[in-house]
Amino acid sequence: MLMKKLRTIFSVAVATILSAVMLVGCGTASDRVVHGADGDSTVALLTVYATGERGKVAPLLAAAGHAYCSVTNISDDTIILGKGYELAAGTTVTIASWEFDAHGGIWYNIEPTYIDQGWFVKRKSITRGVDTDALRRMNEYLTDDDNDRWTLFHNCTHFAAEFWNAAAKGSGDEIDTKGMLTPSNLEKQVKRFQGYEIGRPHVSSMPIGYYSGGEFVEFELVNQ
């Protein structure tokens, strides 16, 4: 376990260093527009968040910031996400990739707790409407075991950007995922979209956890 923790700290430290030499030409001018579903075809809202800010505590863990997504069900029916996560009408869940001892990969609903503790206050985000076709692509991404992992080169930022791109496929507002992404780099890309938000709120009563062998494992997040 000690070696695993040391590998995690080393990976985050490397990501922090590399964030300083990432694509400097991203720019911050709002020259892009989100083209999501609208009207009666919209069943959910997908938001991608990114911030390069440090966490409230555990600075090594949050030194490189964080990126994640949220899904809000605006339909009248329960939506199934990934391998069976039930999102009731009118509710929101966050989805991200984390490297924890319990599970390295996709986690559901961790971020609201951390935000309540003062993390990620300056998060930048963009939101799109999702129709049933986009939701199907999102679920294809979530159920692919190759995406349920965390590595230095498939980190939280890669997950968030690729999950967004699964919904945005063919729309013209995909996020550039070339190279080794960091939250700071994704934050710059988000700020290029017109109408991006700062500190978009999300309240969630959904359970925290992850999938293991097709079963959802609920997890109690300890205060940091």
Side-chain angles (χ1 to χ4, degrees):
M1 180 177 291
L2 176 61
M3 287 300 295
K4 184 171 184 178
K5 290 182 178 178
L6 289 174
R7 286 198 300 270
T8 299
I9 292 173
F10 174 76
S11 296
V12 174
V14 171
T16 306
I17 295 171
L18 288 176
S19 67
V21 295
M22 287 304 296
L23 306 172
V24 179
C26 263
T28 57
S30 298
D31 57 1
R32 302 193 66 189
V33 178
V34 175
H35 301 285
D38 54 22
D40 294 339
S41 64
T42 306
V43 297
L45 299 178
L46 171 65
T47 303
V48 59
Y49 307 79
T51 179
E53 66 187 305
R54 290 175 179 267
K56 178 181 175 184
V57 293
L60 281 177
L61 176 64
H66 186 46
Y68 63 100
C69 290
S70 72
V71 180
T72 300
N73 181 357
I74 63 171
S75 75
D76 296 327
D77 302 311
T78 297
I79 285 176
I80 303 300
L81 290 174
K83 296 179 180 179
Y85 197 93
E86 296 185 359
L87 187 64
T91 60
T92 298
V93 65
T94 62
I95 308 176
S97 183
W98 286 88
E99 170 61 353
F100 289 146
D101 286 339
H103 177 67
I106 299 173
W107 283 79
Y108 291 80
N109 217 40
I110 281 184
E111 287 72 21
T113 297
Y114 280 148
I115 288 171
D116 285 345
Q117 295 175 13
W119 293 42
F120 317 136
V121 175
K122 299 178 182 179
R123 58 194 180 278
K124 311 299 188 301
S125 65
I126 49 176
T127 300
R128 66 181 301 109
V130 171
D131 59 19
T132 55
D133 285 339
L135 182 61
R136 174 183 51 77
R137 294 193 298 272
M138 290 160 58
N139 278 327
E140 288 174 353
Y141 184 83
L142 291 175
T143 55
D144 187 340
D145 288 337
D146 287 341
N147 298 322
D148 192 7
R149 59 192 173 91
W150 190 101
T151 70
L152 184 60
F153 293 97
H154 193 275
N155 52 42
C156 65
T157 318
H158 282 90
F159 173 84
E162 291 170 359
F163 189 48
W164 171 272
N165 286 350
K169 184 177 181 180
S171 67
D173 55 11
E174 292 94 335
I175 291 170
D176 184 4
T177 59
K178 296 184 180 69
M180 180 186 161
L181 290 175
T182 67
S184 294
N185 171 245
L186 181 56
E187 182 179 9
K188 291 177 182 178
Q189 293 200 53
V190 166
K191 289 169 65 177
R192 290 186 58 187
F193 284 87
Q194 296 177 19
Y196 75 87
E197 298 178 81
I198 302 175
R200 177 183 174 90
H202 43 68
V203 178
S204 179
S205 59
M206 303 299 292
I208 297 172
Y210 59 92
Y211 279 89
S212 176
E215 296 294 326
F216 186 73
V217 180
E218 288 200 31
F219 189 86
E220 182 178 353
L221 195 62
V222 178
N223 285 344
Q224 298 293 322

